[in-house]
Amino acid sequence: MVAITVGSSTTWAAIGQAAITGAIVTGGFGWTEALRDVLQAARDRQIDLGSAAELQHADLAGLTLKGMYLRHANLSGARLSGADARDVDLHGTDLQDARLTEATLRGADLSYANLTGAGCYKADFSNADLRLATLRGAALGEANLTGADLRHTNLSYADLRAANLSGANIDSGTNFEGAWISKQTQFPDSTDRNALPVEERAHRDGIEEPRCHCADLDLRDPPSSSDGS
């Protein structure tokens, strides 16, 4: 399989055919503009990068990825804050420690994806498919999860303060063990929040930061709270 390292002089013409045939595309912080051009061209041409995309620590903040096919891609540690990832196929994708602050993932397929320690503050996951995804220790404060499919989703130790889970599909396999919630956290009408194995914490300090990182899974301590609101 061809390996392509995206550098400062990389052009779509130089790698287009290789991408079509399933090349491994790699890149990082140093090649931001070239990498963005490559991904944009792949999206425009509806090219399936899928598991060929090795994009760990890539800076894709604010990029339009709508409708792209990135199944099983490696986006661990990537910067996707503010990205438009509506309807993207991210099934089985590695997003450990990724930064998704205020990213739009409405209707995205994130089933079986790994978002351990991901920063998803104010991210929009409305109507997304998160079945069997792992969001252990993720920062989901003020995130929009309305209508999301959360069946058998691992939300253990996630920060769900002020998150909106109204209308989400939750079942007995949805894992809320040790998750943080606040009075502003909204659950589906059928959910008894008092029966969930969660901790209620104040909606304030540290809400934007993940509770753990995939490297060690050490959970940070909750912010101090006197009112538990």
Side-chain angles (χ1 to χ4, degrees):
M1 182 177 288
V2 178
I4 301 166
T5 301
V6 178
S8 57
S9 61
T10 304
T11 64
W12 174 255
I15 74 164
Q17 186 59 40
I20 291 171
T21 57
I24 298 173
V25 182
T26 63
F29 292 126
W31 317 118
T32 299
E33 293 307 317
L35 181 55
R36 286 168 180 254
D37 289 344
V38 168
L39 287 176
Q40 195 73 44
R43 183 183 71 86
D44 293 344
R45 291 163 174 78
Q46 298 184 325
I47 290 170
D48 170 13
L49 291 179
S51 58
E54 292 286 340
L55 302 171
Q56 60 267 40
H57 303 294
D59 186 357
L60 307 176
L63 191 65
T64 297
L65 301 169
K66 182 180 177 182
M68 282 195 70
Y69 187 98
L70 288 165
R71 280 193 165 209
H72 302 289
N74 185 352
L75 286 160
S76 59
R79 296 178 179 178
L80 289 153
S81 298
D84 180 355
R86 287 174 291 169
D87 302 316
V88 170
D89 190 339
L90 293 163
H91 172 90
T93 295
D94 185 353
L95 287 156
Q96 295 180 89
D97 291 341
R99 306 300 287 187
L100 294 154
T101 300
E102 298 187 17
T104 301
L105 295 110
R106 288 198 302 272
D109 183 355
L110 287 149
S111 54
Y112 291 91
N114 188 350
L115 290 94
T116 299
C120 306
Y121 175 64
K122 287 188 175 182
D124 184 357
F125 292 98
S126 57
N127 299 311
D129 185 352
L130 286 155
R131 288 173 298 166
L132 292 125
T134 299
L135 292 99
R136 177 179 169 87
L140 289 159
E142 299 185 32
N144 182 2
L145 290 151
T146 58
D149 194 338
L150 299 173
R151 288 175 292 174
H152 284 78
T153 302
N154 185 354
L155 291 160
S156 61
Y157 303 100
D159 189 340
L160 292 164
R161 287 178 289 168
N164 188 351
L165 287 75
S166 300
N169 193 346
I170 293 171
D171 66 3
S172 60
T174 307
N175 185 358
F176 287 102
E177 181 183 0
W180 293 347
I181 65 171
S182 65
K183 289 182 177 178
Q184 296 86 355
T185 304
Q186 300 179 56
F187 288 96
D189 293 338
S190 59
T191 302
D192 180 3
R193 63 190 291 147
N194 294 320
L196 296 175
V198 297
E199 300 178 37
E200 191 157 309
R201 298 289 172 182
H203 174 211
R204 54 186 190 196
D205 296 342
I207 196 169
E208 297 182 30
E209 293 301 317
R211 290 186 60 190
C212 72
H213 295 284
C214 63
D216 51 24
L217 293 180
D218 286 340
L219 295 167
R220 64 180 175 85
D221 294 330
S224 59
S225 172
S226 58
D227 56 11
S229 59

